[in-house]
Amino acid sequence: MSTPIPPDLPQMAHLTTPDQPWPLRLLSAKISEYVAKMSRLWVEGEVIQLVRRPNARVQFFTLADLEEKASITVKIWSHALPAAITEGSRVVVAAKPDFWTGNGSLTLQADEVRAVGVGDLLARIEALKTKLAAEGLFAPERKQPLPFLPRKIGLICGRNTKAMHDVVNNATRRWPAVRFEIREVQVQGAGAVDQMIPALEELDTIDDVDVIVLARGGGSVEDLFPFSDERLVRAAAAARTPVVSAIGHETDSPVLDLVADYRASTPTDAAKAIVPDVGEEKQGLATTVRRGRIAVDNLLHGAQVELDALRERPVMATPHLLVDDRAEDLTNLRSWLTHHIERIVDTHATSLTSDLGRLRTLSPLQTLKRGYAVLRTEEGLIGSVTDAVANTGAQAILHDGHLDLTINAAHSAARP
């Protein structure tokens, strides 16, 4: 039924003037009537935002034409929405346009949805994944480990976004002394990649930035597409600083997640991954110290037990007994040695005295003491008168000295 136009207002839209405009409610009603006259039609597009509401009778999703940057909200009965339809699905929808006069929004009331394949956006993302995987950019061995406690955290995020607050607040709560180097840039839509890449490269050149986090809240596949841009992904792969991808929710997975050194399911999860919890570290340190003390006490106790056992042994309990025994042995040995040496000396002294007596008996001195003398000249002993030369000097050796003589003549004794 057509909405009547008051007689004081222009009856046709083209007859309105600045002095006689239509009220907005009348325009909305006329648009609603016009849209309502449109017939049911089939329309093709890509599902870019779909969050199923459990137990709800009606579901909503956004149907988009990514090439023309056009989108519209679609509502459909829950039982008519196939389970296979997800974000990124390419679909055809049987729907009737519906205009809501309350806020002037145009929607589609769908009664049937059919999948026609993966959407163009997802197809491009899958193709990029295949390409980068073949180059080895997703290989685990190329990923850098995160530092235990970064000196400074580089953070790339939207301007004054919840993702930024989630990372900063949670990291500060875990480690109050943590410092940030934040770059707030555009993270959605055209131009986002051109702002994020310079921010990433700048943070990568700062010496005390030990980790870089790219953070953003959840969104549709189209909203998160900049984080699947090949240029940004390659810039993250080339960074010398470890990169953390904290994009969206648990179910969101842009290509950046695969090339980043660490993939955080949410910005909050990123904060937990990049800094330790000071409370947990203190508790762990206290536990380690306690265990260390217990270990040292056990070692000391064991050593004391071993020492006591050693001290209880006879050799340690009364060590002077060994010394006394050895001292007694040494005294006995010294006594035996002294006695043995004295006996040997006495034996040799007696033998020497006997030999000396015999020697003295055979000594020429004994003969000389009886009045005999030994004559000799410079040529030698005179043992015969034939050895003497008249008028020459000689010497007579007595037992207590000698006499100088002159041989006047030599006389031979008559033979018997």
Side-chain angles (χ1 to χ4, degrees):
M1 182 177 179
S2 176
T3 301
I5 301 176
D8 57 332
L9 294 178
Q11 297 300 303
M12 302 292 291
H14 68 279
L15 297 177
T16 58
T17 65
D19 297 325
Q20 282 191 308
W22 276 0
L24 181 59
R25 64 180 177 277
L26 178 58
L27 176 60
S28 294
K30 289 298 182 182
I31 294 175
S32 179
E33 290 175 6
Y34 180 80
V35 172
K37 293 177 182 178
M38 295 183 65
S39 62
R40 178 177 179 271
L41 74 159
W42 287 91
V43 60
E44 182 180 0
E46 186 170 334
V47 178
I48 62 171
Q49 190 168 12
L50 170 60
V51 179
R52 294 179 183 268
R53 300 179 301 163
N55 302 322
R57 298 179 62 188
V58 178
Q59 302 292 340
F60 295 86
F61 64 86
T62 301
L63 190 67
D65 186 333
L66 298 180
E67 293 184 0
E68 299 298 331
K69 304 296 182 183
S71 63
I72 190 170
T73 299
V74 180
K75 54 185 177 180
I76 186 172
W77 296 108
S78 295
H79 68 272
L81 182 60
I85 302 300
T86 60
E87 288 187 355
S89 297
R90 190 80 176 175
V91 297
V92 289
V93 178
K96 192 175 185 306
D98 180 43
F99 183 80
W100 186 33
T101 59
N103 62 1
S105 62
L106 180 66
T107 61
L108 292 179
Q109 178 63 56
D111 54 45
E112 186 177 354
V113 178
R114 298 179 184 177
V116 295
V118 179
D120 293 340
L121 189 57
L122 286 184
R124 290 162 57 188
I125 293 175
E126 290 302 319
L128 179 59
K129 288 181 180 180
T130 302
K131 176 182 177 182
L132 298 181
E135 295 180 17
L137 294 188
F138 302 158
E141 56 269 17
R142 63 160 298 277
K143 295 183 183 298
Q144 305 180 71
L146 300 184
F148 170 71
L149 182 61
R151 291 171 294 175
K152 189 179 290 186
I153 300 171
L155 176 59
I156 301 174
C157 56
R159 294 177 177 85
N160 196 29
T161 58
K162 186 176 183 301
M164 178 183 72
H165 295 295
D166 284 347
V167 174
V168 174
N169 292 342
N170 282 283
T172 304
R173 188 179 302 113
R174 291 172 63 82
W175 198 274
V178 68
R179 296 186 300 155
F180 283 89
E181 190 75 27
I182 301 177
R183 297 295 181 268
E184 296 181 71
V185 299
Q186 181 182 342
V187 294
Q188 178 178 335
V193 174
D194 293 332
Q195 292 189 28
M196 287 190 287
I197 291 178
L200 174 62
E201 292 175 344
E202 179 188 359
L203 292 175
D204 193 37
T205 61
I206 301 177
D207 290 337
D208 57 352
V209 171
D210 294 327
V211 64
I212 300 174
V213 182
L214 285 90
R216 190 218 133 90
S220 65
V221 176
E222 183 181 28
D223 293 339
L224 301 182
F225 184 68
F227 296 96
S228 294
D229 187 276
E230 183 174 358
R231 293 172 297 161
L232 178 63
V233 171
R234 290 191 180 278
R240 63 177 180 84
T241 307
V243 174
V244 175
S245 175
I247 310 302
H249 304 297
E250 181 69 37
T251 56
D252 297 322
S253 182
V255 180
L256 181 64
D257 284 353
L258 301 175
V259 78
D261 297 293
Y262 181 84
R263 187 255 178 179
S265 58
T266 63
T268 300
D269 180 56
K272 295 179 180 179
I274 56 182
V275 293
D277 185 274
V278 65
E280 293 178 359
E281 293 303 319
K282 287 182 178 179
Q283 182 178 358
L285 183 60
T287 300
T288 302
V289 171
R290 183 172 64 255
R291 290 177 177 175
R293 287 175 176 170
I294 293 174
V296 171
D297 288 343
N298 290 337
L299 288 174
L300 291 176
H301 177 71
Q304 185 64 51
V305 171
E306 292 181 3
L307 180 60
D308 292 342
L310 289 174
R311 293 177 63 183
E312 290 176 358
R313 293 180 179 181
V315 68
M316 298 298 294
T318 54
H320 59 278
L321 292 179
L322 290 176
V323 177
D324 292 344
D325 291 343
R326 299 290 81 76
E328 184 178 355
D329 292 342
L330 185 61
T331 300
N332 294 335
L333 182 61
R334 183 184 294 110
S335 177
W336 175 86
L337 184 62
T338 301
H339 176 72
H340 187 68
I341 291 175
E342 288 177 351
R343 186 161 55 95
I344 292 175
V345 170
D346 289 345
T347 300
H348 284 283
T350 300
S351 177
L352 183 60
T353 300
S354 176
D355 292 341
L356 182 61
R358 288 194 299 271
L359 182 62
R360 285 176 176 173
T361 300
L362 298 176
S363 173
L365 291 178
Q366 295 298 326
T367 302
L368 294 180
K369 284 181 179 181
R370 294 199 301 269
Y372 291 95
V374 177
L375 297 177
R376 70 177 184 178
T377 63
E378 293 180 354
E379 285 74 15
L381 292 176
I382 299 176
S384 174
V385 293
T386 59
D387 296 330
V389 179
N391 300 320
T392 60
Q395 190 177 60
I397 299 175
L398 305 177
H399 73 93
D400 57 353
H402 66 275
L403 299 175
D404 292 329
L405 305 174
T406 301
I407 300 175
N408 294 322
H411 304 279
S412 298
R415 295 182 178 274

